Amino acid sequence: MDPLFSPPLHRQRHQFVIDFVKRNKPKKVVDLGCSECRLLKNLKFCREIELLVGVDLNGATIRKKMHGLAPISTDYLQPGYDQLCIELYQGSVTQKDTRLRGFDLVTSIELIEHLHLADVELFSEVVFGYMTPAAVIVSTPNSEFNPLFPGLAGFRHSDHKFEWTRAEFQSWALKVCLEYGYEVEFTGVGQAPPGEQERVGFCSQIGVFHRLGERDGCNRLFGDDAEDLLSYTLLYSINYPSLQDNNILRRVLVSEVVYWAEKLKRGWIEEKTGERNGAFTLCHTEEGGEERVSEGHMDMEEKQTACGGEMKSPVQKWGRSLSEDEGGEYKEVFWTNGQEQQELCTSPRCVSVPLAVLWSCCPKVSALGGSLSNLRHLLMDDPEVKLSEDGSAVLVYNQEQDQEDEEDHSDLEDSGYAEATQCSHSAVDEEDWEAVGS
């Protein structure tokens, strides 16, 4: 049948469900008769869904296709705030299972025609009377459309137990609504050729059921069942990585903090080097004053982007200077908007980056942290981040300085400086001893 329709008929049915989900934003969705999980693979991209469940009688088919629902590498590398759990069960739609009660949406796409008519009654009782979802989408073949298929004799599939006309489908649907407290609207997918639509209708007829409020029968059913009915077998369950998991949130946040602290440290070192070489650019601050920034640092600022958006310029938010204290030692000082904020490490091997600077420069750090105090709390016990004693800044060690010191030391040894120094000390000692002896 699919070659007769564009897009193929099964895709039109799935798209109908996807469009419904986008409009109504259900959080808990179950697909009855999920088979090869094609619909579930599309629905997992709907961010509104938090719990996505599939049920099918054929466990072998589920086991063959279930791993296609697993998270991919980018889901772990770039987790979002949305939560998603996927569960797959083996079981019959004519049996009750407590785990499937109270869902926002139940879909039954081309399923009921595979049931015997006696089982259709059980299906109605289980889905509408026991599960009591807020909405149900049922699609089934429209037998009035069948004469338009060339060479088709009998049903469309060898496993179909029946195929209803539009009147038969509507009769069943209205009976369900009357008995279980729902309302229904009828539509379909797969339009007939021009001039035939009104006579034969859609190729697949669809009923969209909505529960009529919080009816007494629904509340009574939930209260009367003392025992949990677990008729289905759980075959697959996976939780997608989410920033709502504190461990994942901390991992992503630490990665961002380490990256941008190192980035800011390098920018500061480039600026300090530029100051020593006399390469300056005057920048106007928010207060109307002027501030000297190295040209190399300006190039970095113009090109920097942070977390999918342009990084806020550190020129206006982040100032640095070298000031001499009373003891004659130089200490490095940060200030924000012209106000002195925090002292840096006096060691040349360490640069102190205030959390407030990271907060203002990187939007993703501020978004993940939630607040400056929470950011400090999340970083406090992490082994990858070294905070200052008061916890207000990240300490970034200057590995390049260590390497330069090691290279200088190695060069001195290679040049024979250490040996010459030792010899000169020995010569002085000999002269002193001679002086004493005379």
Side-chain angles (χ1 to χ4, degrees):
M1 289 182 294
D2 279 347
L4 302 178
F5 298 95
S6 181
L9 193 59
H10 75 277
R11 291 186 182 177
Q12 292 189 41
R13 290 191 289 259
H14 291 176
Q15 190 60 49
F16 181 91
V17 175
I18 293 170
D19 292 340
F20 180 91
V21 168
K22 290 180 178 179
R23 289 194 308 270
N24 295 275
K25 299 179 174 31
K27 293 184 177 181
K28 298 170 63 178
V29 178
V30 55
D31 181 32
L32 302 179
C34 63
S35 186
E36 297 182 347
C37 306
R38 290 183 180 179
L39 178 57
L40 298 178
K41 290 178 182 178
N42 289 319
L43 289 177
K44 77 172 188 175
F45 295 104
C46 296
R47 309 178 97 183
E48 302 82 7
I49 299 177
E50 296 179 0
L51 176 59
L52 185 59
V53 176
V55 178
D56 201 276
L57 189 61
N58 191 333
T61 301
I62 292 179
R63 289 187 178 91
K64 185 178 180 181
K65 299 293 184 178
M66 62 187 186
H67 296 293
L69 294 169
I72 58 178
S73 57
T74 54
D75 293 318
Y76 291 98
L77 294 173
Q78 299 177 343
Y81 286 97
D82 305 307
Q83 291 179 306
L84 176 60
C85 175
I86 298 179
E87 297 176 350
L88 299 178
Y89 293 92
Q90 179 182 1
S92 170
V93 294
T94 62
Q95 294 178 314
K96 300 174 182 178
D97 192 294
T98 309
R99 292 167 290 187
L100 268 63
R101 304 190 73 178
F103 272 60
D104 300 310
L105 174 63
V106 171
T107 61
S108 172
I109 308 301
E110 307 296 288
L111 170 66
I112 60 173
E113 64 273 10
H114 294 271
L115 305 176
H116 294 284
L117 289 175
D119 290 334
V120 173
E121 295 301 318
L122 292 175
F123 169 85
S124 303
E125 180 184 350
V126 169
V127 174
F128 297 95
Y130 182 77
M131 295 172 60
T132 62
V136 182
I137 298 177
V138 177
S139 81
T140 189
N142 170 22
S143 63
E144 296 176 68
F145 200 97
N146 288 355
L148 298 182
F149 293 115
L152 177 63
F155 296 148
R156 300 181 190 178
H157 192 280
S158 59
D159 188 57
H160 287 184
K161 306 303 188 291
F162 63 88
E163 290 181 358
W164 280 334
T165 63
R166 285 175 289 175
E168 289 171 328
F169 177 58
Q170 292 173 13
S171 175
W172 168 80
L174 292 173
K175 179 183 176 183
V176 165
C177 291
L178 184 62
E179 187 170 354
Y180 299 107
Y182 282 77
E183 61 182 1
V184 63
E185 55 183 301
F186 299 102
T187 181
V189 294
Q191 288 194 340
E196 298 287 343
Q197 182 67 33
E198 185 176 350
R199 182 177 70 86
V200 300
F202 292 100
C203 183
S204 282
Q205 51 189 337
I206 296 176
V208 181
F209 299 80
H210 293 276
R211 194 179 65 213
L212 295 174
E214 295 297 332
R215 55 191 177 84
D216 295 337
C218 174
N219 297 329
R220 175 173 48 79
L221 281 170
F222 273 89
D224 288 348
D225 290 339
E227 295 183 1
D228 288 342
L229 299 176
L230 305 177
S231 304
Y232 300 161
T233 302
L234 179 63
L235 300 181
Y236 183 75
S237 178
I238 186 69
N239 287 297
Y240 272 60
S242 169
L243 291 174
Q244 296 191 39
D245 183 324
N246 283 335
N247 292 329
I248 295 176
L249 173 63
R250 188 188 299 269
R251 174 177 61 81
V252 175
L253 177 62
V254 166
S255 177
E256 290 292 330
V257 167
V258 170
Y259 175 79
W260 288 107
E262 178 68 23
K263 195 88 168 177
L264 292 172
K265 180 207 76 172
R266 290 180 179 275
W268 175 77
I269 291 175
E270 289 178 10
E271 180 177 342
K272 186 170 69 170
T273 303
E275 289 176 352
R276 290 175 179 173
N277 294 335
F280 299 113
T281 299
L282 286 177
C283 294
H284 294 280
T285 64
E286 294 177 352
E287 290 73 22
E290 292 183 342
E291 183 176 352
R292 295 191 303 174
V293 179
S294 67
E295 295 177 358
H297 186 59
M298 285 293 295
D299 293 339
M300 182 195 71
E301 289 173 7
E302 293 172 358
K303 297 177 181 178
Q304 270 181 335
T305 56
C307 321
E310 188 170 339
M311 181 175 177
K312 297 179 182 178
S313 172
V315 175
Q316 297 178 353
K317 295 290 185 181
W318 179 25
R320 314 160 196 81
S321 71
L322 297 176
S323 61
E324 189 173 2
D325 61 13
E326 295 178 358
E329 294 183 354
Y330 282 93
K331 57 181 181 180
E332 300 158 7
V333 180
F334 277 112
W335 71 89
T336 300
N337 292 335
Q339 300 297 323
E340 186 173 315
Q341 182 179 14
Q342 179 181 346
E343 295 181 359
L344 272 69
C345 292
T346 57
S347 169
R349 293 185 175 86
C350 177
V351 175
S352 176
V353 182
L355 295 181
V357 172
L358 286 167
W359 181 271
S360 63
C361 289
C362 182
K364 190 168 184 179
V365 170
S366 58
L368 293 171
S371 67
L372 200 55
S373 60
N374 191 54
L375 173 63
R376 184 182 299 108
H377 174 73
L378 290 171
L379 299 176
M380 192 168 295
D381 298 324
D382 195 279
E384 295 186 33
V385 177
K386 177 68 174 177
L387 294 181
S388 59
E389 291 185 4
D390 61 359
S392 64
V394 176
L395 304 181
V396 186
Y397 290 94
N398 189 6
Q399 297 178 353
E400 294 178 358
Q401 182 67 38
D402 293 340
Q403 292 175 357
E404 289 176 4
D405 292 346
E406 290 178 1
E407 291 174 359
D408 292 343
H409 182 68
S410 176
D411 291 342
L412 289 173
E413 290 182 348
D414 293 341
S415 64
Y417 174 80
E419 183 177 352
T421 303
Q422 184 176 0
C423 292
S424 64
H425 282 299
S426 299
V428 171
D429 292 341
E430 289 178 0
E431 292 177 0
D432 291 342
W433 279 110
E434 290 176 358
V436 172
S438 60

